[in-house]
Amino acid sequence: METTITLQDLLTTIRKRWFLVLSCTVIASAAAAIISYYVLTPIYQAETQILVNQKSSNIEQYQWAQNNETDLRLINTYNVIIKSPVILSKVIEKLELDKTPDSLAEQITVSSANNSQVVNIIVMDKQASKAVKISNTLADVFKKEIPILMNVDNIEILSVANQIDNPKPVKPNKLLNIISATVGGLMLGIILAFLLEFLDKRFKSAQEIEEISNLPIIGFVGVIDLEKENKSMKSRRVRRN
């Protein structure tokens, strides 16, 4: 026999097991709030921008275009060099960081837009002040080392990272975590409610009996209160005696 679930059945199941759905939602929200505010470590971000550009004056138009195209090709190379041990080891030494070049590289993101000569250096750290120092020091070290490594001098620091009074962490996103956990808890509660309803094989109405047996219902048996019936029988016996 094919079973059809209607919207009314869905709403009835949720209403019947509302406490389970509500409990899952509240527990998930509370757990996400506790973890976001008291367990996860805040991560701060600092960003420095450098400009890749040839230093030349009184050059013709075609020479400028050629130099510009060369700079754009070099940007991908620079992105790799910035996170290389030869640069990061000097940053670690200068700031006296208790890190290895590999661990420091995991905190650094280097990016540049298409056909842009601006390179963005983003550093993330548990301390906002340290993120600012690493970002600015990395740009300074790279600017000093790149003429030695590639025999070019086309790097200018466009903007530096600044320390603000009340920095806001970029991770974790507490509100997003709580909303996601609330939605997840709600969905989990609804799934568990339908699962329990599906596993419950007891007849819940006369209509279900008619659908399964294909026989009409001709009567109902009322609920007999045995305790009340026993008292009534004892009362009749006393009267007889």
Side-chain angles (χ1 to χ4, degrees), residues 100-154:
T100 62
D102 291 337
S103 63
L104 182 58
E106 295 176 356
Q107 301 177 227
I108 301 171
T109 302
V110 183
S111 64
S112 58
N114 292 333
N115 297 325
S116 173
Q117 294 174 259
V118 177
V119 177
N120 302 311
I121 302 176
I122 299 176
V123 178
M124 294 187 180
D125 196 86
K126 298 177 182 178
Q127 300 178 17
S129 59
K130 185 177 290 186
V132 171
K133 291 179 180 179
I134 294 175
S135 181
N136 291 334
T137 304
L138 179 58
D140 290 335
V141 171
F142 177 72
K143 181 181 177 180
K144 293 177 182 178
E145 294 296 324
I146 199 64
I148 302 174
L149 295 174
M150 300 189 64
N151 197 24
V152 292
D153 187 12
N154 60 345

Side-chain angles (χ1 to χ4, degrees), residues 17 19 31 48 80 91 100-101 104 113 124 126 131 161 179 195-196 213 228 230:
R17 303 187 183 274
F19 185 76
T48 302
V80 176
V91 174
T100 62
L104 182 58
M124 294 187 180
K126 298 177 182 178
I179 293 176
L195 181 61
L196 293 176
S213 62
K228 185 176 181 181
N230 291 333

Side-chain angles (χ1 to χ4, degrees), residues 3-235:
T3 303
T4 303
I5 300 177
T6 63
L7 179 60
Q8 184 178 2
D9 295 333
L10 300 179
L11 295 177
T12 301
T13 302
I14 296 175
R15 185 166 56 250
K16 180 180 178 181
R17 303 187 183 274
W18 65 269
F19 185 76
L20 174 63
V21 176
L22 180 61
S23 298
C24 291
T25 304
V26 172
I27 291 174
S29 301
I34 292 173
I35 293 174
S36 297
Y37 280 93
Y38 300 105
V39 177
L40 297 179
T41 303
I43 302 297
Y44 298 90
Q45 175 179 300
E47 181 177 356
T48 302
Q49 291 182 326
I50 60 176
L51 176 65
V52 180
N53 190 25
Q54 292 287 352
K55 293 182 178 179
S56 300
S57 59
N58 299 324
I59 59 175
E60 297 181 3
Q61 183 67 26
Y62 76 92
Q63 289 179 308
W64 179 89
Q66 185 178 9
N67 289 337
N68 186 60
E69 184 179 354
T70 302
D71 291 336
L72 291 176
R73 288 199 303 266
L74 285 173
I75 285 178
N76 291 331
T77 303
Y78 291 163
N79 292 348
V80 176
I81 295 176
I82 290 174
K83 298 179 65 174
S84 66
V86 67
I87 301 295
L88 297 184
S89 60
K90 294 183 180 300
V91 174
I92 293 173
E93 181 181 357
K94 192 171 183 178
L95 295 178
E96 298 181 351
L97 301 176
D98 186 18
K99 296 178 179 293
T100 62
D102 291 337
S103 63
L104 182 58
E106 295 176 356
Q107 301 177 227
I108 301 171
T109 302
V110 183
S111 64
S112 58
N114 292 333
N115 297 325
S116 173
Q117 294 174 259
V118 177
V119 177
N120 302 311
I121 302 176
I122 299 176
V123 178
M124 294 187 180
D125 196 86
K126 298 177 182 178
Q127 300 178 17
S129 59
K130 185 177 290 186
V132 171
K133 291 179 180 179
I134 294 175
S135 181
N136 291 334
T137 304
L138 179 58
D140 290 335
V141 171
F142 177 72
K143 181 181 177 180
K144 293 177 182 178
E145 294 296 324
I146 199 64
I148 302 174
L149 295 174
M150 300 189 64
N151 197 24
V152 292
D153 187 12
N154 60 345
I155 300 298
E156 288 292 336
I157 298 178
L158 192 61
S159 66
V160 297
N162 297 315
Q163 176 67 44
I164 59 178
D165 294 334
N166 297 312
K168 295 183 179 180
V170 294
K171 296 179 182 180
N173 191 330
K174 300 173 184 177
L175 180 59
L176 179 61
N177 290 347
I178 294 174
I179 293 176
S180 301
T182 300
V183 175
L186 177 62
M187 297 302 297
L188 177 61
I190 293 175
I191 292 174
L192 289 178
F194 282 110
L195 181 61
L196 293 176
E197 193 71 15
F198 176 77
L199 296 176
D200 188 0
K201 300 299 183 181
R202 294 175 297 177
F203 293 113
K204 304 175 184 63
S205 65
Q207 182 182 359
E208 292 185 6
I209 299 177
E210 287 183 339
E211 292 176 353
I212 293 177
S213 62
N214 292 324
L215 297 174
I217 301 297
I218 59 176
F220 294 91
V221 178
V223 178
I224 300 176
D225 190 340
L226 295 179
E227 184 178 355
K228 185 176 181 181
E229 185 67 20
N230 291 333
K231 289 181 179 180
S232 177
M233 291 178 63
K234 290 180 180 179
S235 178

